[in-house]
Amino acid sequence: LAGDGDGWRAETCPSGELRSRNVLLCTGAAPRLPSPALTARLAAAGIPVLDHDTVVTPAAFEADGLARRLRGSRLAVVGGSHSGLLAARNAVRLAGCERVDVYGR
């Protein structure tokens, strides 16, 4: 995953590419925060680290201001399991995202 000035670019196997202005990375059944070093690298690239409960809980999604920041945008959710689908649903229902694409394995 890399920022390209216009959003984000992710290379996929075998030779595809995904592009999106916004990306949510959903970590699955045992969510945990990344290491401080990775958090710093993500922040430097303009990728905020969002708590699991923020993206899957409607009240937290709205209270954090995430819904307002995503309103009308296109979003890629990387992680197609339960948490990823809840995050995608909240992006559509609460933020009114124009389009949400969910990518799993």
Side-chain angles (χ1 to χ4, degrees), residues 22-69:
N22 299 289
V23 176
L24 290 179
L25 301 174
C26 299
T27 59
R32 61 187 183 278
L33 291 175
S35 70
L38 180 55
T39 299
R41 285 180 48 210
L42 292 170
I47 303 172
V49 175
L50 302 171
D51 180 78
H52 172 268
D53 291 344
T54 300
V55 297
V56 300
T57 307
F61 193 94
E62 291 182 306
D64 183 70
L66 184 59
R68 183 178 25 77
R69 292 193 308 269

Side-chain angles (χ1 to χ4, degrees), residues 2 6 41 58 64 75 78 89:
D6 246 355
R41 285 180 48 210
D64 183 70
L75 178 72
V78 179
R89 181 184 73 173

Side-chain angles (χ1 to χ4, degrees), residues 18-24 26 73-80 84-85 87-89 91-92 97-104:
L18 304 172
R19 293 184 165 276
S20 183
R21 188 169 307 277
N22 299 289
V23 176
L24 290 179
C26 299
S73 66
R74 293 179 64 180
L75 178 72
V77 176
V78 179
L85 294 179
R89 181 184 73 173
V92 170
C97 282
E98 175 185 307
R99 177 177 170 171
V100 176
D101 296 313
V102 178
Y103 299 95

